[in-house]
RNA sequence: GGAGAGGUGACUGAGUGGUUGAAGGUGCGCGAUUGGAAAUCGCGUGUAGGUGAUGAGCCUACCGAGGGUUCGAAUCCCUCCCUCUCCGCCA
């Protein structure tokens, strides 16, 4: 959520952000409600002032044993009017908040303006798309053949869109998780967190999944809890409504979590095998930083994700998302795609975003600057480091041999009892 | 699920109807003291909103959340949430 005062002061900038992001938001309506609220506030507060002053006088009169019934009668009337004002204000504020929640974050000036993903801009790439064999089979074939992937079995449990890893496949999954977390903890200075995998409404609003994505999430109605669609939710909300000491920044967390997504309405394309599933594992990085450093921290975060892919020797490309493809809450975002030789596609395995203070304002994430001074909102960032299912796809396809086996990337061998090949 | 205790500022901790936005302490900032530091002393330190010029000042709100009683609520009543202890159940 943007600062109302910022919106008030920069309406044309916000209007441009809404246009560039292709969002629908009633900025004019918001501003007029805001004006109405402030006008009523002035009147209501003047009455409250009167009440406070008079109440004190009544207290004095009472103490002196004098009669205060005239004043009390008058204040009874004033209180009634205050109540009317406050009821009007409360109703308006509901509208105001609802309107404010439809205003997206403003893209950073370095973000290219564009309508959709076709106008994202390539930033860099690493490695050449290649594979050990000329024409590797898709992961769902070799996965079934080697007995490490059981899609049919998973559908018996939970329906289509779920997968089960078995035997060495499960071990590979676990190895990837452990490898990535170790890299970020030991190599990049993150603190590991093992958070809840469900979150309440306040948390979902704090990171901006609500109100927009309600129907993309699994929901436990009994307890009004949502299965997390990404580790970003628990990690960013860990310090919700807290004021951190400035010395603690930057806070850098990494966590393994499963991610649950209903993916309602996305059946058909790109859904075979592991490409788009309702539940996948992910290692997520989140940072809470001082505003002045957030764009440097974004570059560092992105390179932390890239380090995973380089260690696994998976060719990738990085692109900066244009305004039209940028998410509602983000000010800037890099996507990282890896090449998978079997399905012959670039697969998105990481999104690294700077939200500036957009999430922090909603989530109440502040800090006391080290040298003293007023509490300020932190800037929040997050990025996958990286998403598992598609990384497994690339490994199963890029590392296929002509013997129908899969070479284990060297970086993973220590996590798989030294296993060199899945046969 | 049952019984009980409790939620106050960055932290700790007083406060049961009327100068309490909130004592005391810690922490933090500034200053004094010191060769320097520690210790000590003095002063200052909440958040949000409104109104001013994104100044000073002034005003309003905030003691888990939301309602209620009252001229007046951190203080009384109701509902909800959370934490802790004990019991039960259970991985």
């Amino acid at each position: 959520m943007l600062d109302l005062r910022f919106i008030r002061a920069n309406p044309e900038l916000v209007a441009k952000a809404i246009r560039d992001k292709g969002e629908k938001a009633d900025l004019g309506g918001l501003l007029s409600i805001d004006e109405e609220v402030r006008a009523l506030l002035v009147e209501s507060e003047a009455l409250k002032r009167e009440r406070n002053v008079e109440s004190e006088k009544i207290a004095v009169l009472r103490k002196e044993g004098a009669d205060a019934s005239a004043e009390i009668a008058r204040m009874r009337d004033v209180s009634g009017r205050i109540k009317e004002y406050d009821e009007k204000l409360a109703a308006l504020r509901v509208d105001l908040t609802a309107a404010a929640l439809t205003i997206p974050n403003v893209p950073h000036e370095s973000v290219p303006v564009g309508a959709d993903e076709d106008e994202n801009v390539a930033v860099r790439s690493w490695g050449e798309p290649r594979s050990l064999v000329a024409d590797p089979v898709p992961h769902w074939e070799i996965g079934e053949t080697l007995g490490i992937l059981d899609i049919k079995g998973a559908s018996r449990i939970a329906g289509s869109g779920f997968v089960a890893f078995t035997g060495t496949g499960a071990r590979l999954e676990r190895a990837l998780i452990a490898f990535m977390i170790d890299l970020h903890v030991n190599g990049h200075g993150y603190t590991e967190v093992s958070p809840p995998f469900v979150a309440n409404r306040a948390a979902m609003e704090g990171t901006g999944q609500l109100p927009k994505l309600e129907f993309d999430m699994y929901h436990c109605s009994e307890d009004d809890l949502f299965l997390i669609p990404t580790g970003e939710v628990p990690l960013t909300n860990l310090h919700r409504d807290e004021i951190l000491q400035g010395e603690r920044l930057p806070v850098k967390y990494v966590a393994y979590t499963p991610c649950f997504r209903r993916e309602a309405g996305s059946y058909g394309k790109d859904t075979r095998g592991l490409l788009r599933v309702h539940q996948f594992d992910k290692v997520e990085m989140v940072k809470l930083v001082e505003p002045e450093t957030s764009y440097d921290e974004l570059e560092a975060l992105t390179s932390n994700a890239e380090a995973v892919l380089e260690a696994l020797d998976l060719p990738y490309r990085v692109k900066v998302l244009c305004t039209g493809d940028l998410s509602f809450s983000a000010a800037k975002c890099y996507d990282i795609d890896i090449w998978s030789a079997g399905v012959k596609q670039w697969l998105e395995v990481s999104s690294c975003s700077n939200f500036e203070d957009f999430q922090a304002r909603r989530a109440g994430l502040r800090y006391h600057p080290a040298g003293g001074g007023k509490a300020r909102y932190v800037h929040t960032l997050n990025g996958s480091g990286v998403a598992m299912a598609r990384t497994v796809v690339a490994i199963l396809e890029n590392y296929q041999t002509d013997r129908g086996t899969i070479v284990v990337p060297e970086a993973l061998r220590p996590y798989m009892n030294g296993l060199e090949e899945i046969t």
Side-chain angles (χ1 to χ4, degrees):
Chain A
M1 158 149 67
L2 290 172
D3 187 353
L4 257 178
R5 283 172 302 187
F6 175 84
I7 298 175
R8 224 179 274 149
N10 305 281
E12 62 299 314
L13 195 66
V14 173
K16 177 171 163 40
I18 294 169
R19 270 200 315 277
D20 287 350
K21 277 193 163 180
E23 295 286 342
K24 288 195 186 77
D26 182 10
L27 180 58
L30 173 69
L31 290 172
S32 82
I33 297 170
D34 174 53
E35 209 166 306
E36 205 178 334
V37 164
R38 281 182 295 146
L40 283 178
L41 206 53
V42 169
E43 299 187 42
S44 144
E45 287 186 354
L47 284 177
K48 283 178 180 172
R49 169 161 197 270
E50 187 183 353
R51 180 176 68 183
N52 288 343
V53 170
E54 293 302 310
S55 289
E56 242 171 72
K57 284 187 191 161
I58 290 170
V60 172
L61 286 175
R62 275 279 177 84
K63 219 171 193 174
E64 292 168 346
D67 174 46
S69 54
E71 285 78 3
I72 288 176
R74 205 157 56 80
M75 283 309 106
R76 191 172 292 149
D77 175 56
V78 168
S79 277
R81 283 161 63 203
I82 289 174
K83 200 171 174 188
E84 282 171 32
Y85 272 113
D86 282 352
E87 276 165 9
K88 263 191 247 173
L89 271 170
L92 278 173
R93 282 202 157 118
V94 169
D95 296 343
L96 187 69
T97 307
L101 286 176
T102 67
I103 308 288
N105 200 359
V106 177
H108 187 252
E109 57 189 9
S110 66
V111 171
V113 175
D116 54 37
E117 59 184 17
D118 293 333
E119 296 185 66
N120 293 338
V121 175
V123 177
R124 61 182 165 269
S125 61
W126 182 88
E128 290 297 318
R130 46 135 191 72
S131 53
L132 301 181
V133 291
D135 205 11
V137 300
H139 60 280
W140 56 84
E141 282 181 28
I142 189 149
E144 299 270 351
T145 307
L146 291 174
I148 56 177
L149 192 60
D150 188 352
I151 294 171
K152 193 160 180 172
S155 79
R156 289 191 188 104
I157 302 167
S160 72
F162 290 88
V163 297
F165 295 101
T166 52
T168 315
R171 182 63 188 261
L172 175 67
E173 183 82 358
R174 191 154 51 88
L176 279 164
I177 294 166
F179 159 69
M180 291 180 196
I181 288 181
D182 282 354
L183 180 64
H184 295 312
V185 169
N186 301 324
H188 304 144
Y190 288 77
T191 301
E192 182 175 0
V193 177
S194 179
F197 298 158
V198 295
N200 57 29
R201 244 164 228 287
M204 288 298 174
E205 280 166 6
T207 32
Q209 276 72 27
L210 288 178
K212 221 185 153 182
L213 302 176
E214 174 137 20
F215 296 106
D216 287 320
M217 296 191 287
Y218 291 97
H219 181 234
C220 312
S221 55
E222 282 283 289
D223 303 296
D224 200 20
L225 291 171
F226 297 86
L227 301 193
I228 54 168
T230 159
E232 162 195 355
V233 174
L235 287 183
T236 307
N237 279 286
L238 206 52
H239 295 291
R240 179 156 45 91
D241 294 328
E242 253 189 73
I243 302 182
L244 299 162
Q245 291 301 328
E247 304 80 58
R248 288 185 64 182
L249 302 183
V251 170
K252 296 166 70 177
Y253 288 135
V254 62
Y256 151 71
T257 75
C259 301
F260 302 92
R261 299 184 182 180
R262 293 185 64 223
E263 302 287 1
S266 65
Y267 294 103
K269 227 177 147 26
D270 294 345
T271 58
R272 284 211 70 178
L274 289 167
L275 293 180
R276 187 181 293 279
V277 284
H278 290 311
Q279 178 190 326
F280 61 93
D281 292 317
K282 183 152 66 71
V283 167
E284 181 78 1
M285 300 175 282
V286 161
K287 290 186 188 182
L288 312 180
V289 308
E290 290 191 72
E292 287 71 22
T293 66
S294 68
Y295 280 93
D296 290 338
E297 294 282 4
L298 176 63
E299 297 303 319
L301 179 76
T302 309
S303 74
N304 294 156
E306 291 173 53
V308 170
L309 303 174
E310 289 171 25
L312 294 174
D313 202 14
L314 296 173
Y316 66 83
R317 64 180 187 188
V318 181
K319 56 199 198 230
V320 60
L321 300 194
C322 72
T323 53
D325 204 23
L326 195 58
S327 75
F328 184 82
S329 311
K332 185 171 185 176
C333 176
Y334 293 110
D335 267 8
I336 306 177
D337 301 336
I338 56 176
W339 176 258
S340 200
V343 293
K344 299 191 170 35
Q345 284 180 40
W346 289 98
L347 305 174
E348 184 189 324
V349 292
S350 180
S351 251
C352 300
S353 310
N354 184 1
F355 300 90
E356 299 189 357
D357 62 8
F358 194 84
Q359 287 183 329
R361 183 166 287 109
R362 273 194 198 188
L365 289 166
R366 289 176 296 175
Y367 75 103
H368 281 298
K374 286 183 69 120
R376 307 172 69 199
Y377 286 106
V378 300
H379 280 193
T380 63
L381 301 93
N382 71 57
S384 350
V386 298
M388 232 51 66
R390 292 170 181 169
T391 303
V392 170
V393 169
I395 290 173
L396 297 193
E397 298 183 355
N398 296 8
Y399 279 93
Q400 270 177 45
T401 69
D402 52 12
R403 299 180 300 284
T405 63
I406 293 158
V407 171
V408 176
E410 271 183 49
L412 293 181
R413 290 178 193 171
Y415 294 92
M416 297 186 72
N417 269 346
L419 185 71
E420 291 177 13
E421 207 166 324
I422 301 174
T423 57

